Amino acid sequence: MPQGKRALPPVCPEQVLQGLSEDEDVRAMLRGSRFCKIRSPTWQKERLYRLQEDGLSVWFQRRIPRAPSQHIFFVQHIEAIREGHQSEGLRHFGGAFEPARCLTIAFKGRRKNLDLVAPTAEEAQRWVRGLGKLRARLDAMSQRERLDHWIHSYLHRADSNRDSKMSFKEIKSLLRMVNVDMNDMYAYRLFKECDHSKNERLEGPEIEEFLRRLLKRPELEEIFHRYSGEDRVLSAPELLEFLEDQGEPKATLAHAQQLIHTYELNETAKQHELMTLDGFMMYLLSPEGAALDSAHTRVFQDMDQPLAHYFISSSHNTYLTDSQIGGPSSTEAYVRAFAQGCRCVELDCWEGPGGEPVIYHGHTFTSKILFRDVIQAVREHAFTVSPYPVVLSLENHCGLEQQAAMARHLHTILGDMLVTQTLDPQNPEELPSPERLKGRVLVKGKKLPATRSENGRILSEREEEDEEEEEEEEVGAVEQRRRAKQISPELSALAVYCCAARLQTLRPPPVPPQPCQVSSLSERKAKKLIREAGNSFVRHNARHLTRVYPLGLRMNSANYSPQEMWNSGCQLVALNFQTPGYEMDLNAGRFLVNGQCGYILKPVCLRSPNTTFDPECPGPPRTTLTIQVLTAQQLPKLNAEKPNSIVDPLVRIEIHGVPADCARKETNYVLNNGFNPRWGQTLQFQLRVPELALVRFVVEDYDATSPNDFVGQFTLPLSSLKQGYRHIHLLSKDGASLSPATLFVHICIRG
């Protein structure tokens, strides 16, 4: 390096690669490796993959060069790393390669798996171990460390001539990269104030000073100084006062002292039980300072009640990765659903060649997968995220022989996981609890009655929507439908606690239906019952499981709002998990809490058999929610390839609950600032049934001539929303973290 020049603050060793810069696996990844990328029996191409110096992203080669953002993937977007032939792609197309050389990188959201074959087993292991270490390091980073890393990585990109100094032109480029269009005069004044060497270049400490000024949080400083007084540090009693004003349930002096020891960075301050502004920011940016109650991120609800007392995360057409007309079917779709906490998956079963049933969307161009392969995926992945029971919702279009084959596969592959008989002989019809069914798989299907026809088989009834669709089928499908309307005794025997039955009426019959009977309703039928039956439907759902599924007319696999169904106590509200949108945001928000285990205990008003609750007539308002939207931090650029493209952000807050509570209000937009926009606007909501309400925070890029563009969102139950000054950690459209992007708000709940 030329004399007199000082390097920019290094990114790797001090940030993500802290403690890993000398690691042999990570060093090998930084050098890069040539992998064979596998897509099909004929598409198998050699590609170079190399860890970037930021330690957060991997660059990869493409046959046709594209925009820079299309040549990387981020470590934080990795869902899992699998060794050997542990993906659908490698099982089908990787047989020629020894498993020790194979690995699969599975991503969060909709991105396809990356199936790779390394030149040697040792090189494959280096990447498996190295990515594992990077993911662990990333998980351990605080929000402040992520922010520091984020700004330093942009700093290195903005240093266009790599001279380790920053000209004003490069500083302006940096500002555009981080999504802020700062007034030239103000930016230059800030630049000059930091240019102590008076040479029109910032270097070393001058750059650090510029970044400190850029990252200042005046709103946090004002709050800090309000409690700290003239000495500009918080004592433990002063921090306790702040915690009490926040409404923290465990606000004690001991807790305040513990927070200082956890988040304070200055050792001298820590020894004197004092918190500086930096420590205060560290605390407010941590999970303990977030809007989501950290106590609710673990399983905290009673898991010993009957299954009908829980909302259960449920998927429709689980096998699809795209639309239900011509999209591919894949066992990987089941793996992804389980990774998102899904506990009820759907299997559309049809006659296949060679006596083997297949799964696909019947009478369409969707591809087919073997039933037995799906059951194998259930065995391997159903309980990786949640220990609580999984329901296999069978839509059976098979004849008797292949139904028997389905039953055989369920027995042989699942073994003791499969529930084949009642757990309590004294109460065989009563639904057991999630706790009692841990690690078990339930089959939802048709059940033969006690009195049978001569051959022991009866005709089954289709789900309401299927009957409507069947009228439009061609004559060629009649024979397959006839065979599918028979029930195999072997398959019938597996419907123990989830016996499919049509919901004929909500009027109390002479003999009440057994709790193990499950009704499946199209969204249209469910809405009709909610509208016309009201409280009777709620009472039915207090004792029985009800599954709701999207209309068959939704050809592009669009979703409906699940909130309306939850309002009436429907447990298995099935959505197309492969289709992002606000509906899946609501589903993710509903099941965000209770350890993301896929089971949420319903409110008391939806569990009592004699409840008088009707979601259409909920009574007067009893809770006031007031949210002051203060600022946002480091919002992502929507078009990374256009340096001058800067967002004009606005914040919308939505309430999703009973119809009378549903509302949305938004702030004004801030022109050309996605880096640190300020609003200071207050939005207020009146709620009648707060225990059912979800709160969705949405950030959009305002556009006067076309619909606003989505920037990020976060959804959570009102009952898990903490009061006081809180950060909202934003998520992308497919649920991935947008760290370090946050909203800063003040929340007040009264009533």
Side-chain angles (χ1 to χ4, degrees), residues 15-16 18 20 56 75-76 132-146 262-263 282 285-287 739:
Q15 303 291 333
V16 179
Q18 187 175 26
L20 295 176
L56 277 184
V75 175
Q76 71 177 15
K133 292 168 191 173
L134 289 170
R135 293 176 72 206
R137 170 67 187 122
L138 191 59
D139 288 343
M141 284 176 73
S142 70
Q143 181 76 2
R144 183 62 182 268
E145 288 176 305
R146 290 171 191 243
T262 302
Y263 297 106
M282 284 283 286
L285 284 166
S286 76
S739 179

Side-chain angles (χ1 to χ4, degrees), residues 684-725:
Q684 193 170 84
F685 303 88
Q686 301 295 325
L687 304 175
R688 292 159 176 79
V689 190
E691 57 268 42
L692 275 170
L694 292 172
V695 185
R696 184 169 182 251
F697 296 84
V698 189
V699 181
E700 289 184 342
D701 180 15
Y702 173 77
D703 195 312
T705 57
S706 61
N708 295 344
D709 291 321
F710 175 89
V711 175
Q713 70 86 35
F714 189 75
T715 305
L716 75 169
L718 176 69
S719 56
S720 298
L721 185 65
K722 295 182 80 173
Q723 298 193 70
Y725 291 101

Side-chain angles (χ1 to χ4, degrees), residues 651-669:
V651 178
R652 184 173 65 252
I653 296 175
E654 303 171 355
I655 304 297
H656 297 264
V658 296
D661 285 348
C662 290
R664 51 173 59 195
K665 296 181 180 181
E666 60 187 39
T667 66
N668 301 328
Y669 68 91

Side-chain angles (χ1 to χ4, degrees), residues 76-179:
Q76 71 177 15
H77 292 165
I78 295 175
E79 181 74 59
I81 303 150
R82 304 184 212 149
E83 302 176 55
H85 296 164
Q86 291 299 311
S87 71
E88 186 175 64
L90 286 173
R91 274 196 290 264
H92 288 174
F93 314 129
F97 304 99
E98 57 181 304
R101 292 169 53 201
C102 299
L103 67 141
T104 296
I105 300 174
F107 296 96
K108 299 171 184 175
R110 301 185 74 189
R111 186 169 187 154
K112 292 179 180 176
N113 287 355
L114 193 54
D115 291 321
L116 302 173
V117 181
T120 65
E122 175 56 26
E123 195 145 10
Q125 275 301 304
R126 283 200 181 284
W127 278 77
V128 170
R129 291 191 301 260
L131 286 171
K133 292 168 191 173
L134 289 170
R135 293 176 72 206
R137 170 67 187 122
L138 191 59
D139 288 343
M141 284 176 73
S142 70
Q143 181 76 2
R144 183 62 182 268
E145 288 176 305
R146 290 171 191 243
L147 172 59
D148 287 347
H149 173 81
W150 178 84
I151 192 69
H152 279 81
S153 65
Y154 277 113
L155 186 64
H156 280 254
R157 283 170 54 189
D159 182 22
S160 56
N161 60 2
R162 298 292 184 265
D163 68 349
S164 300
K165 296 184 178 183
M166 299 295 289
S167 66
F168 180 64
K169 182 180 178 182
E170 288 171 329
I171 286 290
K172 283 290 289 180
S173 174
L174 169 70
L175 293 173
R176 285 193 297 270
M177 284 181 185
V178 299
N179 220 350

